[in-house]
Amino acid sequence: MKTSETRAELFKAFANFKKKLKQPLKDANNPFFKSKYVPLENVVQVVDEAMIDTGLSYIQEIEDLEEGYLRVDTIVLHESGEYVVIKGSKVKPVKNDPQSAGSATTYARRYSLSTAFGIASDPDDDGNGASQQAKNNQQPKNTQQPKSHPKPELTPEQKVTANIEWVNKNYKPEIELIKSWQSMAPDKALKAIKEYAEAMKEA
Protein backbone atom coordinates (compact mmCIF):
# COMPACT_ATOMS: atom_id res chain seq x y z
CA MET A 1 0.00 0.00 0.00
CA LYS A 2 1.48 3.32 -1.09
CA THR A 3 1.12 6.27 1.30
CA SER A 4 2.60 9.67 2.06
CA GLU A 5 5.48 9.87 4.52
CA THR A 6 3.18 11.20 7.24
CA ARG A 7 -0.36 9.96 7.85
CA ALA A 8 -1.45 11.40 11.21
CA GLU A 9 -3.88 13.98 9.83
CA LEU A 10 -5.20 11.49 7.30
CA PHE A 11 -5.96 8.94 9.99
CA LYS A 12 -7.70 11.53 12.17
CA ALA A 13 -9.87 12.49 9.24
CA PHE A 14 -10.65 8.82 8.58
CA ALA A 15 -11.80 8.41 12.19
CA ASN A 16 -14.11 11.38 11.81
CA PHE A 17 -15.35 9.99 8.48
CA LYS A 18 -16.23 6.61 10.00
CA LYS A 19 -18.34 8.29 12.69
CA LYS A 20 -20.43 10.02 10.04
CA LEU A 21 -20.63 7.14 7.54
CA LYS A 22 -24.03 5.53 7.01
CA GLN A 23 -24.02 2.22 5.18
CA PRO A 24 -26.02 2.46 1.94
CA LEU A 25 -29.05 0.35 1.14
CA LYS A 26 -28.67 -2.68 -1.06
CA ASP A 27 -31.35 -1.84 -3.62
CA ALA A 28 -29.86 -3.18 -6.86
CA ASN A 29 -30.76 -6.70 -7.97
CA ASN A 30 -28.24 -9.33 -8.98
CA PRO A 31 -30.20 -11.62 -11.32
CA PHE A 32 -27.53 -14.30 -11.34
CA PHE A 33 -27.45 -14.88 -7.57
CA LYS A 34 -30.99 -13.58 -6.82
CA SER A 35 -29.62 -11.13 -4.27
CA LYS A 36 -29.27 -7.38 -3.77
CA TYR A 37 -26.14 -5.24 -3.74
CA VAL A 38 -25.20 -1.56 -3.46
CA PRO A 39 -24.83 0.15 -6.87
CA LEU A 40 -21.93 2.52 -7.52
CA GLU A 41 -24.05 5.66 -7.26
CA ASN A 42 -25.18 4.71 -3.75
CA VAL A 43 -21.60 4.11 -2.64
CA VAL A 44 -20.52 7.47 -4.05
CA GLN A 45 -23.43 9.22 -2.33
CA VAL A 46 -22.74 7.95 1.19
CA VAL A 47 -18.98 8.51 0.84
CA ASP A 48 -19.45 12.09 -0.38
CA GLU A 49 -21.89 12.86 2.44
CA ALA A 50 -19.62 11.44 5.15
CA MET A 51 -16.62 13.36 3.76
CA ILE A 52 -18.15 16.77 4.46
CA ASP A 53 -15.99 18.79 6.90
CA THR A 54 -13.37 16.01 7.20
CA GLY A 55 -10.81 17.40 4.75
CA LEU A 56 -10.94 14.13 2.78
CA SER A 57 -11.42 13.64 -0.92
CA TYR A 58 -10.60 10.91 -3.40
CA ILE A 59 -9.85 10.16 -7.02
CA GLN A 60 -9.96 6.86 -8.88
CA GLU A 61 -7.41 5.73 -11.44
CA ILE A 62 -8.09 3.07 -14.07
CA GLU A 63 -5.08 0.99 -15.06
CA ASP A 64 -5.00 -1.35 -18.07
CA LEU A 65 -3.19 -4.58 -17.27
CA GLU A 66 -2.02 -7.49 -19.39
CA GLU A 67 -4.32 -10.05 -21.06
CA GLY A 68 -7.33 -7.71 -21.08
CA TYR A 69 -7.52 -7.18 -17.32
CA LEU A 70 -8.04 -3.79 -15.71
CA ARG A 71 -7.80 -2.45 -12.19
CA VAL A 72 -9.22 0.63 -10.47
CA ASP A 73 -7.14 2.14 -7.65
CA THR A 74 -8.67 4.59 -5.20
CA ILE A 75 -6.41 7.41 -3.98
CA VAL A 76 -7.69 8.94 -0.73
CA LEU A 77 -6.45 12.52 -0.23
CA HIS A 78 -6.39 14.85 2.75
CA GLU A 79 -6.18 18.64 2.65
CA SER A 80 -2.88 18.42 4.55
CA GLY A 81 -1.30 16.75 1.54
CA GLU A 82 -1.26 13.26 3.05
CA TYR A 83 -2.63 10.43 0.96
CA VAL A 84 -3.02 6.65 0.67
CA VAL A 85 -3.44 4.53 -2.46
CA ILE A 86 -5.85 1.60 -2.15
CA LYS A 87 -5.20 -0.86 -4.96
CA GLY A 88 -8.23 -2.62 -6.40
CA SER A 89 -8.63 -6.17 -7.62
CA LYS A 90 -8.08 -7.21 -11.22
CA VAL A 91 -11.22 -7.62 -13.31
CA LYS A 92 -11.67 -8.74 -16.89
CA PRO A 93 -14.59 -7.85 -19.18
CA VAL A 94 -16.55 -10.89 -20.31
CA LYS A 95 -16.44 -9.66 -23.90
CA ASN A 96 -14.18 -7.42 -25.93
CA ASP A 97 -16.69 -4.63 -26.49
CA PRO A 98 -17.42 -1.18 -24.97
CA GLN A 99 -20.45 -2.38 -22.99
CA SER A 100 -18.51 -5.15 -21.25
CA ALA A 101 -15.58 -2.83 -20.59
CA GLY A 102 -17.91 -0.24 -19.05
CA SER A 103 -19.60 -2.84 -16.88
CA ALA A 104 -16.24 -4.19 -15.65
CA THR A 105 -15.00 -0.66 -14.92
CA THR A 106 -18.15 0.19 -12.95
CA TYR A 107 -17.77 -2.98 -10.90
CA ALA A 108 -14.07 -2.27 -10.28
CA ARG A 109 -14.81 1.33 -9.22
CA ARG A 110 -17.54 0.21 -6.81
CA TYR A 111 -15.41 -2.55 -5.34
CA SER A 112 -12.32 -0.33 -4.93
CA LEU A 113 -14.27 2.58 -3.42
CA SER A 114 -16.12 0.27 -1.05
CA THR A 115 -12.84 -1.32 0.08
CA ALA A 116 -11.17 2.06 0.63
CA PHE A 117 -13.96 3.47 2.81
CA GLY A 118 -15.36 0.35 4.47
CA ILE A 119 -18.62 0.08 2.55
CA ALA A 120 -20.47 -3.25 2.69
CA SER A 121 -21.61 -3.16 -0.93
CA ASP A 122 -21.87 -6.86 -1.75
CA PRO A 123 -24.57 -9.24 -0.46
CA ASP A 124 -23.80 -11.12 2.74
CA ASP A 125 -24.71 -14.78 2.25
CA ASP A 126 -23.37 -15.81 5.67
CA GLY A 127 -20.64 -17.85 4.03
CA ASN A 128 -23.05 -19.98 2.03
CA GLY A 129 -21.23 -19.34 -1.21
CA ALA A 130 -17.91 -20.47 0.23
CA SER A 131 -19.42 -23.46 2.01
CA GLN A 132 -21.29 -24.48 -1.13
CA GLN A 133 -18.05 -24.31 -3.07
CA ALA A 134 -16.39 -26.49 -0.47
CA LYS A 135 -19.23 -29.01 -0.77
CA ASN A 136 -18.88 -29.00 -4.53
CA ASN A 137 -15.17 -29.63 -4.19
CA GLN A 138 -15.84 -32.71 -2.02
CA GLN A 139 -16.98 -35.47 -4.29
CA PRO A 140 -19.40 -37.84 -2.52
CA LYS A 141 -17.92 -41.18 -1.75
CA ASN A 142 -19.45 -44.18 -3.43
CA THR A 143 -20.74 -46.22 -0.52
CA GLN A 144 -22.52 -48.77 -2.67
CA GLN A 145 -20.96 -52.19 -2.75
CA PRO A 146 -19.97 -53.39 -6.20
CA LYS A 147 -22.55 -55.72 -7.65
CA SER A 148 -21.53 -59.37 -7.51
CA HIS A 149 -21.76 -61.13 -10.81
CA PRO A 150 -22.96 -64.75 -10.77
CA LYS A 151 -20.28 -67.29 -11.50
CA PRO A 152 -20.58 -68.89 -14.91
CA GLU A 153 -21.87 -72.47 -14.98
CA LEU A 154 -19.03 -75.00 -15.37
CA THR A 155 -19.07 -77.68 -18.05
CA PRO A 156 -18.83 -81.32 -16.91
CA GLU A 157 -15.18 -81.43 -17.99
CA GLN A 158 -14.42 -78.29 -15.98
CA LYS A 159 -16.17 -79.77 -12.95
CA VAL A 160 -14.02 -82.91 -13.14
CA THR A 161 -10.84 -80.84 -13.43
CA ALA A 162 -11.88 -78.67 -10.48
CA ASN A 163 -12.62 -81.71 -8.30
CA ILE A 164 -9.30 -83.37 -9.15
CA GLU A 165 -7.50 -80.16 -8.24
CA TRP A 166 -9.42 -80.01 -4.95
CA VAL A 167 -8.57 -83.64 -4.08
CA ASN A 168 -4.89 -83.13 -4.93
CA LYS A 169 -4.79 -79.99 -2.83
CA ASN A 170 -6.43 -81.52 0.24
CA TYR A 171 -5.51 -85.21 0.10
CA LYS A 172 -2.35 -85.50 -1.95
CA PRO A 173 -0.12 -86.18 1.09
CA GLU A 174 -2.39 -89.09 2.12
CA ILE A 175 -2.48 -90.48 -1.43
CA GLU A 176 1.30 -90.39 -1.67
CA LEU A 177 1.56 -92.01 1.77
CA ILE A 178 -0.77 -94.84 0.75
CA LYS A 179 1.28 -95.42 -2.40
CA SER A 180 4.44 -95.65 -0.29
CA TRP A 181 2.85 -98.29 1.94
CA GLN A 182 1.84 -100.33 -1.09
CA SER A 183 5.43 -100.43 -2.25
CA MET A 184 6.77 -101.61 1.14
CA ALA A 185 7.19 -105.15 2.39
CA PRO A 186 4.15 -106.24 4.39
CA ASP A 187 5.85 -106.12 7.82
CA LYS A 188 7.27 -102.63 7.17
CA ALA A 189 3.98 -101.41 5.75
CA LEU A 190 2.04 -102.63 8.82
CA LYS A 191 4.55 -100.96 11.11
CA ALA A 192 4.26 -97.68 9.15
CA ILE A 193 0.46 -97.83 9.19
CA LYS A 194 0.46 -98.47 12.95
CA GLU A 195 2.76 -95.51 13.56
CA TYR A 196 0.56 -93.32 11.36
CA ALA A 197 -2.59 -94.42 13.23
CA GLU A 198 -0.98 -93.64 16.59
CA ALA A 199 0.11 -90.22 15.33
CA MET A 200 -3.42 -89.45 14.10
CA LYS A 201 -4.89 -90.34 17.50
CA GLU A 202 -2.54 -87.90 19.23
CA ALA A 203 -3.15 -85.17 16.67
Side-chain angles (χ1 to χ4, degrees), residues 39-155:
L40 176 60
E41 56 267 25
N42 288 21
V43 176
V44 171
Q45 181 181 356
V46 297
V47 169
D48 288 349
E49 289 176 354
M51 274 186 172
I52 297 173
D53 296 329
T54 63
L56 292 174
S57 61
Y58 70 89
I59 58 175
Q60 290 191 294
E61 183 179 72
I62 302 173
E63 183 178 357
D64 289 325
L65 305 175
E66 296 178 353
E67 299 179 355
Y69 285 90
L70 62 87
R71 186 181 68 211
V72 175
D73 298 335
T74 299
I75 302 123
V76 182
L77 308 165
H78 186 256
E79 60 187 14
S80 65
E82 295 177 348
Y83 67 91
V84 59
V85 179
I86 308 296
K87 288 188 175 292
S89 299
K90 295 193 305 182
V91 297
K92 187 175 184 179
V94 293
K95 296 180 181 179
N96 187 21
D97 57 39
Q99 289 80 11
S100 296
S103 177
T105 302
T106 299
Y107 173 82
R109 286 185 60 200
R110 177 174 66 88
Y111 192 86
S112 179
L113 193 62
S114 299
T115 301
F117 291 101
I119 307 295
S121 61
D122 288 322
D124 182 6
D125 65 354
D126 197 26
N128 288 330
S131 61
Q132 184 62 39
Q133 182 65 31
K135 289 180 181 179
N136 292 337
N137 289 337
Q138 292 180 346
Q139 297 296 329
K141 294 181 180 179
N142 184 9
T143 57
Q144 292 183 351
Q145 296 293 330
K147 294 181 179 180
S148 59
H149 297 285
K151 294 182 179 180
E153 184 68 25
L154 297 177
T155 64

Side-chain angles (χ1 to χ4, degrees), residues 164-175:
I164 291 175
E165 290 177 353
W166 182 84
V167 170
N168 283 332
K169 179 180 178 181
N170 293 278
Y171 293 102
K172 188 173 183 178
E174 285 83 355
I175 294 173

